[in-house]
């Protein structure tokens, strides 16, 4: 049983790796970004509340996020181990997470920070296409007909550009990351084993590196 927090800037490949890792290691994948996007798609109260925040590349309030996470970590599926992807993103969230884990008698076995230079992030995200059907991501340079192409994973022709993958929003997200999330690595690193992994290379190469550091 392994509980892992995966941290890294937008575009580092965190989402892709989280899906692969969670499947290989049979952990519950908890992606706060996916949860919020699902809420927006469903038109729920939560979705209406957070839609503009996501589109601007800003952060959703800590209270709301901590409540979402609490529900997931207390769930039955979380007992086999979990992989947090996109949470905590602020020092306040990191502190709330520690309190919550103490309360439910769980711990973090590893914090993994994925790193990559900003230029690579911009190049990756400005060309990123996301599949509305299965959530997979790809890059314009890897599909034949841009937005009209079939999704490389589920073959549906439902690729779109996320609102927050526009250049200006990407710059905001990077700034938000440096300002709010970088300090989270320090805070968690004081209490739990911290590993750094480069996000360079193919998803398979990065995946091998990640599994190596997780033993
Ligand atoms: P992601 O898919 O992880 O890049 O998340 C997409 C967006 O969802 C972020 O840019 C934020 O607006 C919001 N979000 C996701 N996780 C969090 C979090 N832990 N705290 C605040 N906002 C979040």
């Amino acid at each position: 049983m392994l509980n892992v927090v995966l941290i890294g800037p937008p575009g580092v490949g965190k989402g892709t790796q989280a899906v692969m890792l969670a499947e290989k290691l049979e952990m519950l994948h908890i992606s706060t970004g996916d949860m919020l996007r699902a809420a927006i798609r469903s038109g729920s109260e939560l979705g209406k509340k957070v839609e503009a925040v996501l589109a601007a590349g800003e952060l959703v309030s800590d209270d709301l996020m901590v409540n979402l996470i609490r529900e997931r970590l207390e769930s039955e599926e979380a007992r086999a181990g979990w992989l947090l992807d996109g949470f905590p993103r602020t020092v306040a969230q990191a502190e709330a997470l520690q309190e919550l884990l103490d309360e439910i008698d769980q711990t973090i076995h590893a914090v993994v920070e994925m790193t990559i230079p900003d230029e690579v992030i911009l190049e990756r995200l400005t060309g990123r296409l996301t599949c509305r059907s299965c959530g997979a991501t790809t890059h314009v340079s890897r599909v034949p007909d841009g937005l009209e192409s079939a999704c490389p994973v589920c073959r549906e022709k439902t690729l779109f550009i996320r609102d927050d993958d526009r250049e200006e929003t990407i710059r905001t997200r990077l700034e938000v990351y440096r300002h709010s999330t970088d300090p989270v690595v320090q805070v968690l690193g004081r209490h739990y084993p911290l590993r750094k992994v480069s996000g360079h290379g193919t998803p398979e190469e990065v995946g091998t590196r990640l599994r190596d550091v997780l033993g």
Side-chain angles (χ1 to χ4, degrees), residues 32-33 36-37 54 58-60 65 86-87 89 93 162:
T32 44
L36 295 172
R37 280 185 291 277
L54 263 78
E58 307 282 351
L59 293 180
V60 172
M65 296 311 305
F87 183 97
R89 254 180 159 97
Q93 290 179 14
R162 266 171 56 172

Side-chain angles (χ1 to χ4, degrees), residues 10-11 14 31-34 36-37 50 53-62 65 69 85-90 93 128 162 164 173:
K14 197 163 42 78
S31 159
T32 44
D34 284 352
L36 295 172
R37 280 185 291 277
V50 301
V53 181
L54 263 78
E58 307 282 351
L59 293 180
V60 172
S61 80
D62 291 332
M65 296 311 305
I69 283 295
D85 160 13
F87 183 97
R89 254 180 159 97
T90 64
Q93 290 179 14
R128 179 157 83 172
R162 266 171 56 172
D164 55 350
R173 289 164 66 202

Side-chain angles (χ1 to χ4, degrees), residues 17 114 197-211:
Q17 292 302 328
M114 294 178 67
V197 169
S198 158
H200 266 297
T202 64
E204 290 70 28
E205 285 164 352
V206 180
T208 305
R209 250 176 251 144
L210 277 171
R211 285 196 303 282

